[in-house]
Amino acid sequence: MSEKKYVVAIDQGTTSSRCMVFDKNGLPVVSEQMEHAQIYPKPGWVEHDAMEIWARVQDVVRGALQKGNVCTDCVAAIGITNQRETTVVWEKATGKPIYNAIVWQCMRTQDFCVEWQKTCGWCQDDKGRGKVKDHTGLLISPYFSGTKIKWILDNVPGSRERAANGELLFGNIDTWLIWNLTGGPNGGVHVTDVSNASRTLLMNIKTLQWDEEMTKFLDVPMAMLPQIRPSSALYGHTLPEGPFGASVPVSGNLGDQQAALFGQACYNQGDTKNTYGTGCFMLMNIGENPAPSDNGLLTTAAYSLEEGKCVYALEGSIAITGAAVQWLRDNLKLVDESPDSEYLAGKVDDSGGVYFVPAFSGLYAPYWDMSARGAILGLTRYVRKEHIIRATLESICYQTRDVVDAMEKDSKVPLAELKVDGGAVKNNLLMQLQSDILGKKVIRPVVNETTALGAAYAAGLAVGFWENVDDLRANWAEDTNFTPLSSDEKREAGYNGWKKAVDKSKGWVE
Ligand code: ADP
């Protein structure tokens, strides 16, 4: 038998699917990536074809194994990480989805959520506290899976009865992929992990089981829900007929943001990472107590390495960060490529008094104001495009500062330093601005693919490829750190301007 040298991660994201192979040092060996179609049936609605996603995942697995000359005998385990909250309902007997996957960004259940918020007994106070937060750690929002499942069952004739009879299965993309990898209609395992289940509005954040009151209220039959397992556990084996061409253990599962936390070796209480992609997602490890937030953050399951046990995180989700740079590129044509923002913003010393609040789809954490809209403020004849580009980079950093402040208020502990990852952290100016605006050290690791790495780690731990989290900690290495260069006075004056700009953008649409 060949030596087990690798762990494979399948990273199924919003726009593309990736397969990455990692060695024992946590270093990437080979990677393959393919995009899938974005379906926009109406304004504010977003769907994916779950069958296309499964096909692309098979393609990237085959592609990566072939490209890297990786024999499946050398693969110790497979880990999955996924776009979270995206909802699939399919027929158990055929494996055919009964409706397109409803994507996390989809706003179709907004009206239901507004009405729900008014419902006596469920409504939230001005801190977002209420029954929903108490049961799930979350807020009433179309973002999470629960109302999306309800929408499918309300709109596909006969589906609720079929679901109650066990003929239909629900899953986020993790569940959908594991079911297909382990046999599909021929005995595929129907499981999820705590980190994904905690994004459905249906899991009780304390018991880590499906919550009876939430499932009843949203009218989701228990029979269609997957079993909730730890993030690192042997779920099943791949079929030899599948893309791996052999029976390989599937043993890791984490939602993408939690996977990045795990890949960044944030295993101690207080450890925090921020991922800079389309949006920003900051997670702080808060240990084994799922404390609710009073400052606009979510409480979420971070990871579980053992049945019945869980490490939790506070999460600050920001909708538009890298996407604002894309907007400069695609809509205003101020940059040819996103990385050009670094050179152009570096041509000026500051933003010339300009603030850009990129509230294109409202403001998420910590404001949760869906009626806010984007605004560029402080314009004078002096302002050039370079100032606007710099203000865009600063908007990423200021939004992050908002979330850090909320985390410090909730946890009552000052954040020592921030580990960063994601596509935009290659921008050195952005990272320096982030350190200046936070007044904290910002640390970029050598391996920036922390999402896939986290899934690989969870899978490898379950099969003994890595012994324990100390092995994983030892793999983590710093690439560069950024320390604050600006004075406290300048920092606070800049931040006060940002707060004023945010106030102007709030409550814009009725
Ligand atoms: P996602 O996983 O959310 O698709 P990525 O991690 O691939 O995102 O990061 C891509 C995002 O980061 C895009 O929105 C892009 O505009 C932004 N981005 C990428 N490189 C840079 C850069 N050098 N400077 C600023 N923004 C960047």
Side-chain angles (χ1 to χ4, degrees):
M1 196 177 177
S2 309
E3 191 200 345
K4 303 288 184 202
K5 289 195 287 197
Y6 304 119
V7 173
V8 171
I10 296 171
D11 178 359
Q12 204 302 301
T14 309
T15 54
S16 69
S17 304
R18 209 135 49 112
C19 176
M20 291 191 76
V21 180
F22 291 95
D23 67 14
K24 214 157 191 155
N25 297 320
L27 296 174
V29 174
V30 64
S31 160
E32 185 76 359
Q33 183 164 2
M34 284 176 88
E35 294 197 355
H36 59 267
Q38 306 294 315
I39 303 164
Y40 304 108
K42 290 187 190 183
W45 290 32
V46 192
E47 299 178 357
H48 291 157
D49 175 350
M51 292 303 273
E52 186 194 359
I53 286 182
W54 170 228
R56 292 298 80 78
V57 164
Q58 294 179 79
D59 291 342
V60 294
V61 167
R62 289 198 181 95
L65 296 181
Q66 201 176 19
K67 192 157 112 187
N69 229 342
V70 175
C71 71
T72 32
D73 274 357
C74 306
V75 176
I78 301 160
I80 313 287
T81 180
N82 55 299
Q83 51 167 322
R84 306 174 300 174
E85 300 97 12
T86 298
T87 296
V88 193
V89 176
W90 71 93
E91 289 178 345
K92 189 176 176 180
T94 64
K96 268 182 61 182
I98 63 163
Y99 193 84
N100 273 339
I102 301 183
V103 177
W104 60 274
Q105 299 151 320
C106 186
M107 297 289 285
R108 78 184 64 198
T109 63
Q110 171 75 7
D111 290 348
F112 173 78
C113 288
V114 169
E115 283 310 305
W116 185 11
Q117 164 64 8
K118 292 183 199 152
T119 311
C120 189
W122 288 96
C123 53
Q124 292 157 181
D125 64 17
D126 58 353
K127 290 198 156 91
R129 288 264 193 135
K131 216 176 194 179
V132 169
K133 179 164 278 190
D134 191 38
H135 283 234
T136 67
L138 306 175
L139 301 159
I140 294 175
S141 168
Y143 175 24
F144 307 111
S145 315
T147 63
K148 299 181 198 291
I149 309 175
K150 177 175 164 51
W151 188 95
I152 293 177
L153 298 182
D154 286 344
N155 285 278
V156 179
S159 57
R160 187 163 275 111
E161 293 70 32
R162 295 182 69 200
N165 291 338
E167 291 169 41
L168 300 182
L169 302 177
F170 153 74
N172 293 125
I173 298 288
D174 63 316
T175 301
W176 168 243
L177 293 180
I178 294 174
W179 187 80
N180 277 297
L181 282 166
T182 57
N186 305 312
V189 289
H190 189 220
V191 293
T192 186
D193 91 301
V194 293
S195 72
N196 276 294
S198 75
R199 314 297 297 185
T200 59
L201 280 176
L202 300 175
M203 187 188 86
N204 187 296
I205 193 75
K206 292 167 202 137
T207 64
L208 306 174
Q209 297 300 320
W210 298 119
D211 185 285
E212 232 182 278
E213 208 174 337
M214 294 299 298
T215 51
K216 275 211 181 108
F217 180 78
L218 291 174
D219 212 356
V220 173
M222 285 274 190
M224 74 188 304
L225 299 177
Q227 189 190 3
I228 303 173
R229 301 286 316 275
S231 319
S232 176
L234 183 59
Y235 310 119
H237 288 81
T238 55
L239 289 191
E241 307 82 276
F244 285 88
S247 171
V248 184
V250 184
S251 55
N253 181 9
L254 285 160
D256 53 10
Q257 297 307 325
Q258 288 95 332
L261 185 80
F262 203 67
Q264 283 270 33
C266 291
Y267 308 131
N268 293 333
Q269 201 166 332
D271 286 355
T272 305
K273 70 87 201 179
N274 196 24
T275 302
Y276 297 71
T278 308
C280 270
F281 293 85
M282 191 187 301
L283 270 74
M284 173 189 272
N285 180 327
I286 56 166
E288 295 189 12
N289 175 24
S293 168
D294 280 336
N295 294 287
L297 305 174
L298 307 172
T299 305
T300 202
Y303 57 88
S304 157
L305 303 180
E306 200 181 323
E307 211 74 59
K309 280 201 154 185
C310 183
V311 169
Y312 294 92
L314 278 176
E315 174 172 323
S317 334
I318 307 168
I320 305 288
T321 57
V325 181
Q326 271 170 330
W327 183 75
L328 295 185
R329 184 194 66 188
D330 301 338
N331 297 42
L332 301 192
K333 317 277 183 213
L334 293 189
V335 294
D336 291 333
E337 299 294 339
S338 295
D340 297 346
S341 59
E342 179 169 0
Y343 157 72
L344 289 165
K347 285 173 75 171
V348 287
D349 292 336
D350 55 37
S351 65
V354 174
Y355 285 91
F356 176 16
V357 185
F360 296 154
S361 48
L363 286 166
Y364 280 32
Y367 305 104
W368 298 102
D369 182 346
M370 294 305 153
S371 62
R373 284 298 176 271
I376 299 180
L377 297 112
L379 295 175
T380 59
R381 288 282 311 256
Y382 168 78
V383 169
R384 303 202 322 248
K385 77 170 190 175
E386 288 82 2
H387 294 114
I388 293 176
I389 296 167
R390 194 166 176 118
T392 307
L393 298 185
E394 287 181 354
S395 78
I396 299 176
C397 306
Y398 280 128
Q399 292 187 91
T400 298
R401 162 95 188 248
D402 287 336
V403 170
V404 167
D405 282 5
M407 285 201 169
E408 290 185 335
K409 278 189 203 142
D410 271 338
S411 66
K412 297 178 185 66
V413 190
L415 184 71
E417 57 187 31
L418 184 67
K419 288 179 171 176
V420 298
D421 53 56
V425 303
K426 292 188 195 95
N427 186 324
N428 288 320
L429 175 61
L430 175 68
M431 294 297 100
Q432 185 56 52
L433 288 170
Q434 185 66 86
S435 178
D436 288 342
I437 284 170
L438 284 178
K440 294 183 192 297
K441 195 174 186 185
V442 168
I443 305 176
R444 187 169 63 194
V446 170
V447 179
N448 188 28
E449 308 293 353
T450 50
T451 304
L453 182 61
Y457 278 167
L461 277 180
V463 297
F465 185 74
W466 289 289
E467 278 285 304
N468 50 43
V469 293
D470 291 335
D471 281 359
L472 311 181
R473 248 192 220 106
N475 279 347
W476 189 91
E478 177 179 311
D479 168 50
T480 314
N481 74 64
F482 301 83
T483 49
L485 299 177
S486 78
S487 67
D488 286 354
E489 209 181 2
K490 197 168 161 216
R491 176 169 28 261
E492 290 319 307
Y495 189 53
N496 286 340
W498 166 256
K499 293 292 246 189
K500 255 170 45 188
V502 167
D503 278 344
K504 304 269 181 218
S505 79
K506 280 182 176 173
W508 186 258
V509 289
E510 296 301 319

